[in-house]
């Protein structure tokens, strides 16, 4: 599978039904020896009382449950 085939898909957490972001807006962790994607690093922003707090969610390839036409379903709680 090529990155261009999955780059515009939404990433959704299987357990919470929560949208985490769009794959095209993420950073990738790539194995330099094999060229394989090992993880997606998804920036998330949440608004709290007095400001914005930035966080990141790292999703490893093993956490992906299903890659569909419009979205990628992941299980954040899956143990590596």
């Amino acid at each position: 599978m090529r990155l261009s085939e999955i780059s515009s898909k939404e990433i959704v957490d299987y357990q919470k039904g929560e949208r985490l972001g769009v794959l095209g807006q993420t950073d990738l962790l790539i194995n330099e020896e094999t060229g394989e994607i090992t993880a997606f690093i998804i920036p998330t922003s949440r608004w709290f009382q007095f400001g914005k707090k930035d966080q990141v969610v790292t999703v490893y390839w093993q956490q992906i449950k299903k890659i569909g036409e419009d979205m990628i379903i992941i299980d954040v709680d899956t143990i590596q």
Side-chain angles (χ1 to χ4, degrees):
M1 180 174 288
R2 296 180 182 268
L3 180 59
S4 62
E5 296 172 345
I6 61 174
S7 66
S8 63
K9 296 181 188 295
E10 289 188 53
I11 300 171
V12 177
D13 181 4
Y14 170 76
Q15 296 293 325
K16 297 179 184 176
E18 181 179 51
R19 179 183 182 269
L20 298 176
V22 176
L23 185 59
Q25 300 168 348
T26 65
D27 289 326
L28 300 176
L29 185 59
I30 298 174
N31 182 326
E32 293 179 12
E33 294 176 8
T34 64
E36 295 177 339
I37 297 171
T38 57
F40 306 118
I41 302 170
I42 307 165
T44 60
S45 298
R46 305 209 175 179
W47 288 91
F48 291 97
Q49 291 178 347
F50 299 112
K52 186 176 170 182
K53 187 173 184 179
D54 292 327
Q55 299 176 345
V56 295
V57 176
T58 302
V59 177
Y60 293 92
W61 193 260
Q62 297 85 0
Q63 293 175 297
I64 295 174
K65 294 291 186 188
K66 178 78 173 174
I67 298 176
E69 287 190 33
D70 298 324
M71 65 182 70
I72 299 172
I73 310 261
I74 63 164
D75 188 357
V76 174
D77 294 332
T78 302
I79 299 173
Q80 305 307 309

